Amino acid sequence: MDPAIEADFFGPEIADLPLHYLRDWFFAALEGPLDQAIWRYLLPRVLEALAGNKELAYVGLEVSLNRFPTGDAARWREQEWQVLSTFQRMFLQRAVREGGDSLDDVLCMFGLAGWPLEDLFAQVLEMPADLLAAKLWRDWCIGRPSIWITAFWDNGGNSDAFAFYTSPELYQRISDLALDEQTPPELAEKALAVAGVIEQAVAWDAGN
């Protein structure tokens, strides 16, 4: 860390901790496992920054919560976990509803932090099909159509994500929306484009 920032890091009240202090801390290398007391202290400010769409780690959103197994419920008191669980669900819902960060980047952020991938994927499937199709169209179909998967996944997370994005369940939700006569034409076209990307990915995977 910058020596001046390191010397003053615990000086300000946590609510007033400057964003550039946090960024410098994320940029610095860790020596050994991070003590939970430090993470518990910093986490409210980290969550506040993420909720405000502030960049914390210059390398990418995906590593913003992975310095401690944040998504492991057993490591938190019940009230703390309720806050974290609520934050996770609201952040993921906002990512689908409002755009911004790619869906895979957000899923990766929570996956790397220890949230079970099966639960994250289930949350995505529960979201309204029109919002989900519009989001995936923005992520996958602008420019060269393809499924976007970040390079930050580890421990096979990228394979799990690819399996979800090409799953029959997701494909069915998108294609049903595209073929529903009640779907507005512009949205139906976007849903068809997303379904086409999934079909191409499945065909590619089968050929490899």
Side-chain angles (χ1 to χ4, degrees):
M1 294 179 65
D2 179 283
I5 293 177
E6 184 176 7
D8 188 51
F9 194 75
F10 293 105
E13 295 291 332
I14 187 60
D16 301 320
L17 188 69
L19 185 59
H20 72 279
Y21 277 30
L22 269 182
R23 287 172 173 164
D24 196 68
W25 180 76
F26 271 101
F27 182 75
L30 284 178
E31 296 181 3
L34 179 66
D35 190 285
Q36 183 169 356
I38 299 295
W39 192 229
R40 179 180 276 115
Y41 172 74
L42 292 175
L43 192 53
R45 184 71 179 95
V46 170
L47 298 183
E48 180 184 45
L50 288 171
N53 292 318
K54 301 294 193 300
E55 182 182 55
L56 287 170
Y58 293 117
V59 295
L61 171 76
E62 297 93 318
V63 301
S64 298
L65 293 172
N66 74 338
R67 290 203 157 188
F68 186 83
T70 319
D72 182 354
R75 294 178 178 268
W76 303 99
R77 304 184 188 101
E78 183 177 353
Q79 288 182 323
E80 292 173 331
W81 178 247
Q82 289 303 316
V83 172
L84 287 170
S85 179
T86 300
F87 174 86
Q88 180 270 299
R89 289 177 177 276
M90 292 181 68
F91 195 95
L92 183 55
Q93 290 169 4
R94 186 181 71 175
V96 170
R97 184 177 64 250
E98 299 181 3
D101 298 302
S102 78
L103 177 60
D104 190 71
D105 291 357
V106 175
L107 290 172
C108 182
M109 177 180 73
F110 290 119
L112 292 181
W115 268 272
L117 294 182
E118 297 81 2
D119 183 53
L120 295 172
F121 297 152
Q123 289 177 46
V124 173
L125 284 177
E126 291 171 358
M127 294 182 186
D130 56 339
L131 296 180
L132 187 56
K135 174 59 178 170
L136 293 178
W137 182 84
R138 290 192 296 269
D139 286 356
W140 297 353
C141 300
I142 297 177
R144 182 183 178 187
S146 63
I147 291 176
W148 163 254
I149 296 182
T150 177
F152 282 95
W153 285 108
D154 61 12
N155 298 323
N158 53 347
S159 297
D160 290 334
F162 182 82
F164 170 65
Y165 298 139
T166 57
S167 65
E169 294 82 5
L170 181 61
Y171 177 78
Q172 194 66 53
R173 289 215 69 201
I174 300 301
S175 58
D176 285 350
L177 178 69
L179 298 175
D180 189 335
E181 293 181 354
Q182 302 301 315
T183 303
E186 183 178 356
L187 179 58
E189 289 183 12
K190 290 180 177 180
L192 279 174
V194 171
V197 170
I198 295 175
E199 291 170 355
Q200 291 172 8
V202 170
W204 175 88
D205 190 49
N208 288 273

